C-alpha cells in the first residue's frame, strides 16, 4: 500500500496543503471539521485507496500547512468553497465523491449545489444539511458555538494554552454525549481538567501531537471566523430558502453524538424533514458513536462509506 503523500498546490493565490493516496479513476475528496485537519481522515483515506479509489484531503486555507487567508478577521466559508472548486479544476478532477464531517458537511453540500455536474454523491458525518441554525436558538449563552461566535473571546480563552492542549480539550468535550455548555463564570477551556480527564480511548497522544503541531502553525483564528462567525451571519433569518440538493446522499450519525440533542435535530433527521431538502438521502445511525465517529469506529465507517459509493457506481 502506498503511503499518504503531501503536496502544496497554488489555489487562488495561496498554497493549499493536500494529502493524497491512491490512483484509481474514482476520486473521493474528504472535508474536515473543527478542530480537525486532513489527518482526521487518515483511516478512511487508506481504506479508500485499498479499495481502488484516489483519496484527497485538503487543509482549508488558514488551517495546518495551508497558507493563512490574507485577512483572517474577514475569512469566509465561501473562501473554502472557492478553493475547493479551483482545486478540483487544478487537479483535473471532473467528477468526485465528497465526504464531509461537521462543518465539512455543509461545505460538501454547497459544492454539490453550486457544482452539481462535478459531484457524484455526498456523504456527511455528524451533521445533516441545514437551511438555518434555528437548532441553536434555544441553547444558553454558555453553549460553545455561541462562545466561539463572540469576537475575541475564544481567541483569549485558547490563548492561555498551547495548541495541543486546546485540541485535547475540544476532543474530550466533543466526544461526550452532552452538549458542551459552560457556566456563566466559566470559559470553554475550563470545562476539562487537563490533569484528570483522559483522552478518548481511540485517540492517542501521538495523534494529538499531529494536531497540536499543525494547529501550532496555523492557529485558530480562521477556523473561528469562517466557520462560526461568518456562518452564523449567513445562516440567520431566511437561511438557505428553498435550496434542494439532488445528489445521492448518505448521513452517518453516532447515536451518542451530542448534535442530536440540539433542539429538534433528532426529529429533523428521523421524521423525514431532512429529506425535503435532500430528497435522495439515506441515514444510518451507529450505536455508541460520538461526534468523531470516523476516528472512533474507523472500520465500520469505512465500510459504510465504501458500500454506499459502490452502490452509486453500480447505478451509473
Amino acid at each position: 500500500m502506498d503511503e499518504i503523500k503531501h503536496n502544496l498546490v497554488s489555489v487562488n493565490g495561496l498554497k493549499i496543503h493536500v494529502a493524497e493516496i491512491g490512483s484509481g479513476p474514482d476520486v473521493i475528496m474528504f472535508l474536515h471539521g473543527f478542530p480537525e485537519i486532513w489527518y482526521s481522515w487518515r483511516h478512511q483515506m487508506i481504506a479508500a485507496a485499498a479499495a481502488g479509489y484516489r483519496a484527497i484531503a485538503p487543509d482549508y486555507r488558514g488551517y495546518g500547512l495551508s497558507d493563512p487567508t490574507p485577512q483572517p478577521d474577514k475569512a469566509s466559508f465561501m473562501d473554502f468553497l472557492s478553493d475547493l472548486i479551483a482545486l478540483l479544476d487544478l487537479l483535473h478532477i471532473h467528477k468526485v465523491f465528497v465526504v464531509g464531517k461537521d462543518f465539512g458537511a455543509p461545505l460538501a453540500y454547497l459544492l454539490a449545489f453550486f457544482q452539481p455536474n462535478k459531484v457524484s454523491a455526498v456523504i456527511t458525518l455528524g451533521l445533516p444539511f441545514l437551511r438555518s441554525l434555528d437548532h441553536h436558538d434555544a441553547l444558553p449563552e454558555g453553549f460553545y458555538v455561541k462562545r466561539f461566535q463572540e469576537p475575541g473571546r475564544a481567541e483569549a480563552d485558547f490563548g492561555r494554552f498551547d495548541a495541543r492542549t486546546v485540541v485535547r480539550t475540544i476532543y474530550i468535550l466533543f466526544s461526550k454525549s452532552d452538549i458542551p455548555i459552560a457556566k456563566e463564570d466559566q470559559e470553554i477551556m475550563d470545562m476539562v481538567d487537563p490533569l484528570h480527564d483522559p483522552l478518548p480511548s481511540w485517540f492517542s497522544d501521538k495523534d494529538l501531537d499531529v494536531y497540536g503541531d499543525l494547529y501550532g502553525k496555523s492557529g485558530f483564528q480562521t477556523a473561528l471566523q469562517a466557520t462560526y462567525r461568518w456562518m452564523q451571519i449567513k445562516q440567520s433569518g431566511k437561511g438557505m430558502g428553498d435550496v434542494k440538493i439532488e445528489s445521492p446522499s448518505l448521513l452517518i450519525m453516532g447515536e451518542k453524538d451530542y448534535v442530536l440533542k440540539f433542539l429538534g435535530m433528532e426529529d429533523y433527521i428521523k421524521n423525514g424533514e431532512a429529506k425535503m431538502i435532500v430528497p435522495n438521502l439515506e441515514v444510518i445511525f451507529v450505536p455508541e458513536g460520538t461526534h468523531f465517529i470516523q476516528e472512533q469506529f474507523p472500520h465500520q465507517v469505512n465500510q459504510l462509506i465504501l458500500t454506499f459509493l459502490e452502490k452509486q457506481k453500480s447505478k451509473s
Side-chain angles (χ1 to χ4, degrees), residues 100-133:
K101 156 75 193 326
D102 189 60
F103 73 77
L107 192 55
Y109 276 124
L110 287 172
L111 184 63
F113 178 72
F114 286 108
Q115 300 284 318
N117 293 329
K118 284 185 178 292
V119 176
S120 299
V122 175
I123 299 175
T124 66
L125 290 76
L127 199 67
F129 186 74
L130 303 171
R131 283 183 176 151
S132 74
L133 298 180

Side-chain angles (χ1 to χ4, degrees), residues 268-284:
Y268 171 79
I269 295 171
K270 290 183 175 180
N271 69 9
E273 188 177 352
K275 291 189 178 183
M276 296 176 65
I277 305 173
V278 186
N280 299 309
L281 176 67
E282 297 180 32
V283 180
I284 295 177

Side-chain angles (χ1 to χ4, degrees), residues 133-155 174 179-182 187-188 224 227-229 232 262:
L133 298 180
D134 295 342
H135 302 277
H136 294 170
D137 290 348
L139 292 166
E141 177 276 335
F143 174 43
Y144 79 94
V145 171
K146 293 184 177 180
R147 291 287 181 86
F148 289 177
Q149 287 168 350
E150 186 178 335
R153 184 161 188 171
E155 287 90 336
F174 287 12
I179 301 172
I181 299 174
E187 296 299 327
I188 298 299
L224 292 165
T227 55
Y228 289 99
R229 295 165 194 162
Q232 172 66 10
F262 292 176

